[in-house]
Amino acid sequence: MDNEMQQHHQTVLNIIKNISIKTSIAVAAGTAVALAYTLLKTGESSWWSIPAGVLFGGVLGLLNFRWLAFAVERKLMKKILPPAPQNHFIMILNGTKLAAIFIVLFVVMKWQLVNIFGMIIGLSLCFCAIIWEGLMWIPQARNKE
Protein backbone atom coordinates (compact mmCIF):
# COMPACT_ATOMS: atom_id res chain seq x y z
CA MET A 1 0.00 0.00 0.00
CA ASP A 2 2.90 2.35 0.70
CA ASN A 3 4.28 1.88 -2.82
CA GLU A 4 0.84 2.63 -4.30
CA MET A 5 0.62 5.80 -2.18
CA GLN A 6 4.07 6.85 -3.45
CA GLN A 7 2.92 6.34 -7.05
CA HIS A 8 -0.19 8.45 -6.48
CA HIS A 9 1.88 11.15 -4.84
CA GLN A 10 4.34 11.17 -7.74
CA THR A 11 1.45 11.36 -10.23
CA VAL A 12 0.01 14.36 -8.40
CA LEU A 13 3.41 16.09 -8.36
CA ASN A 14 3.77 15.45 -12.12
CA ILE A 15 0.33 16.93 -12.78
CA ILE A 16 1.15 20.03 -10.73
CA LYS A 17 4.48 20.41 -12.55
CA ASN A 18 2.85 19.96 -15.97
CA ILE A 19 0.15 22.54 -15.21
CA SER A 20 2.79 24.99 -13.99
CA ILE A 21 4.83 24.51 -17.17
CA LYS A 22 1.75 24.86 -19.39
CA THR A 23 0.68 27.98 -17.53
CA SER A 24 4.15 29.47 -17.95
CA ILE A 25 4.10 28.72 -21.68
CA ALA A 26 0.60 30.20 -22.05
CA VAL A 27 1.53 33.32 -20.06
CA ALA A 28 4.71 33.85 -22.11
CA ALA A 29 2.78 33.42 -25.37
CA GLY A 30 -0.08 35.62 -24.16
CA THR A 31 2.31 38.34 -23.04
CA ALA A 32 4.15 38.20 -26.38
CA VAL A 33 0.87 38.45 -28.33
CA ALA A 34 -0.32 41.33 -26.15
CA LEU A 35 3.03 43.09 -26.59
CA ALA A 36 2.91 42.65 -30.36
CA TYR A 37 -0.68 43.89 -30.42
CA THR A 38 0.06 47.02 -28.43
CA LEU A 39 3.28 47.82 -30.32
CA LEU A 40 1.53 47.51 -33.68
CA LYS A 41 -1.32 49.67 -32.47
CA THR A 42 -0.32 53.27 -33.12
CA GLY A 43 -0.88 56.16 -30.76
CA GLU A 44 -0.94 54.06 -27.61
CA SER A 45 0.82 55.94 -24.81
CA SER A 46 0.80 53.11 -22.29
CA TRP A 47 1.89 50.26 -24.56
CA TRP A 48 3.09 48.20 -21.59
CA SER A 49 -0.27 48.11 -19.75
CA ILE A 50 -1.90 45.15 -21.55
CA PRO A 51 1.21 42.89 -21.64
CA ALA A 52 1.89 43.75 -17.99
CA GLY A 53 -1.70 42.86 -17.16
CA VAL A 54 -1.41 39.48 -18.88
CA LEU A 55 1.89 38.79 -17.15
CA PHE A 56 0.66 39.94 -13.75
CA GLY A 57 -2.60 37.97 -14.03
CA GLY A 58 -0.75 34.86 -15.18
CA VAL A 59 1.74 35.01 -12.33
CA LEU A 60 -1.05 35.61 -9.82
CA GLY A 61 -3.07 32.71 -11.28
CA LEU A 62 -0.05 30.41 -11.11
CA LEU A 63 0.70 31.48 -7.55
CA ASN A 64 -2.92 30.82 -6.59
CA PHE A 65 -2.81 27.38 -8.24
CA ARG A 66 0.44 26.41 -6.52
CA TRP A 67 -0.90 27.57 -3.17
CA LEU A 68 -4.10 25.58 -3.67
CA ALA A 69 -2.11 22.51 -4.76
CA PHE A 70 0.02 22.80 -1.62
CA ALA A 71 -3.06 22.98 0.61
CA VAL A 72 -4.80 20.06 -1.09
CA GLU A 73 -1.65 17.94 -1.07
CA ARG A 74 -1.14 18.53 2.64
CA LYS A 75 -4.78 17.76 3.35
CA LEU A 76 -4.77 14.52 1.38
CA MET A 77 -1.34 13.30 2.41
CA LYS A 78 -1.84 14.31 6.08
CA LYS A 79 1.79 15.39 6.48
CA ILE A 80 1.46 18.47 8.67
CA LEU A 81 -0.79 17.86 11.64
CA PRO A 82 -3.27 15.34 13.03
CA PRO A 83 -6.72 15.54 11.37
CA ALA A 84 -8.58 18.05 13.62
CA PRO A 85 -5.91 20.78 13.85
CA GLN A 86 -5.01 20.13 10.21
CA ASN A 87 -8.50 21.16 9.09
CA HIS A 88 -8.20 24.44 10.96
CA PHE A 89 -4.74 25.03 9.51
CA ILE A 90 -6.02 24.47 5.96
CA MET A 91 -8.96 26.83 6.58
CA ILE A 92 -6.64 29.54 7.92
CA LEU A 93 -4.20 29.01 5.04
CA ASN A 94 -6.96 29.27 2.42
CA GLY A 95 -8.48 32.32 4.12
CA THR A 96 -5.08 34.01 4.19
CA LYS A 97 -4.51 33.16 0.53
CA LEU A 98 -7.86 34.53 -0.54
CA ALA A 99 -7.41 37.69 1.53
CA ALA A 100 -3.93 38.28 0.07
CA ILE A 101 -5.15 37.78 -3.49
CA PHE A 102 -8.15 40.04 -2.85
CA ILE A 103 -5.95 42.80 -1.46
CA VAL A 104 -3.50 42.56 -4.37
CA LEU A 105 -6.31 42.59 -6.94
CA PHE A 106 -8.03 45.50 -5.18
CA VAL A 107 -4.86 47.60 -5.11
CA VAL A 108 -4.03 46.83 -8.75
CA MET A 109 -7.56 47.68 -9.91
CA LYS A 110 -7.98 50.73 -7.68
CA TRP A 111 -4.71 52.33 -8.78
CA GLN A 112 -5.09 51.03 -12.37
CA LEU A 113 -1.54 49.69 -12.39
CA VAL A 114 -2.18 47.33 -15.32
CA ASN A 115 -4.90 46.80 -17.87
CA ILE A 116 -7.85 45.02 -16.23
CA PHE A 117 -8.72 42.99 -19.33
CA GLY A 118 -5.12 41.86 -19.72
CA MET A 119 -5.12 40.82 -16.06
CA ILE A 120 -8.33 38.81 -16.52
CA ILE A 121 -6.82 37.09 -19.55
CA GLY A 122 -3.68 36.30 -17.55
CA LEU A 123 -5.71 34.89 -14.65
CA SER A 124 -7.67 32.73 -17.10
CA LEU A 125 -4.53 31.19 -18.58
CA CYS A 126 -3.94 29.03 -15.50
CA PHE A 127 -7.48 27.70 -15.78
CA CYS A 128 -6.86 26.98 -19.47
CA ALA A 129 -3.67 25.10 -18.54
CA ILE A 130 -5.65 22.98 -16.06
CA ILE A 131 -8.14 22.07 -18.79
CA TRP A 132 -5.25 21.43 -21.21
CA GLU A 133 -3.63 19.03 -18.71
CA GLY A 134 -6.97 17.33 -18.05
CA LEU A 135 -7.51 16.73 -21.75
CA MET A 136 -4.08 15.10 -21.91
CA TRP A 137 -5.21 12.54 -19.31
CA ILE A 138 -8.37 11.44 -21.17
CA PRO A 139 -6.58 8.99 -23.52
CA GLN A 140 -4.68 7.49 -20.58
CA ALA A 141 -7.91 6.97 -18.65
CA ARG A 142 -9.56 5.29 -21.65
CA ASN A 143 -6.60 2.93 -22.07
CA LYS A 144 -6.95 1.74 -18.46
CA GLU A 145 -10.59 0.73 -18.97
Side-chain angles (χ1 to χ4, degrees):
M1 188 68 174
D2 189 37
N3 189 24
E4 184 178 338
M5 187 69 137
Q6 288 280 35
Q7 288 177 333
H8 287 298
H9 182 66
Q10 190 59 42
T11 301
V12 168
L13 292 177
N14 286 339
I15 291 171
I16 292 169
K17 177 182 162 195
N18 290 343
I19 290 173
S20 298
I21 290 170
K22 287 177 172 115
T23 300
S24 300
I25 291 169
V27 168
T31 303
V33 167
L35 183 61
Y37 170 76
T38 56
L39 289 177
L40 293 175
K41 189 176 173 185
T42 58
E44 190 69 33
S45 63
S46 58
W47 60 269
W48 55 268
S49 183
I50 295 174
V54 173
L55 183 63
F56 177 77
V59 169
L60 193 61
L62 184 58
L63 179 66
N64 182 39
F65 170 73
R66 295 295 297 209
W67 207 339
L68 179 64
F70 170 77
V72 170
E73 180 187 3
R74 295 299 177 229
K75 172 71 175 155
L76 293 178
M77 297 297 178
K78 301 182 192 281
K79 289 183 179 178
I80 297 177
L81 300 170
Q86 182 181 13
N87 291 337
H88 297 299
F89 175 74
I90 296 297
M91 287 177 17
I92 291 169
L93 186 67
N94 285 334
T96 304
K97 175 190 73 147
L98 290 175
I101 289 173
F102 174 76
I103 290 168
V104 167
L105 287 175
F106 178 78
V107 167
V108 167
M109 287 188 287
K110 178 74 173 165
W111 292 345
Q112 298 178 356
L113 299 175
V114 295
N115 184 286
I116 187 81
F117 297 111
M119 188 174 65
I120 291 170
I121 290 169
L123 284 167
S124 301
L125 291 176
C126 187
F127 178 71
C128 293
I130 293 169
I131 292 174
W132 181 7
E133 180 66 19
L135 291 174
M136 302 296 283
W137 282 84
I138 291 174
Q140 294 176 7
R142 286 188 181 159
N143 289 340
K144 288 185 179 180
E145 291 178 351

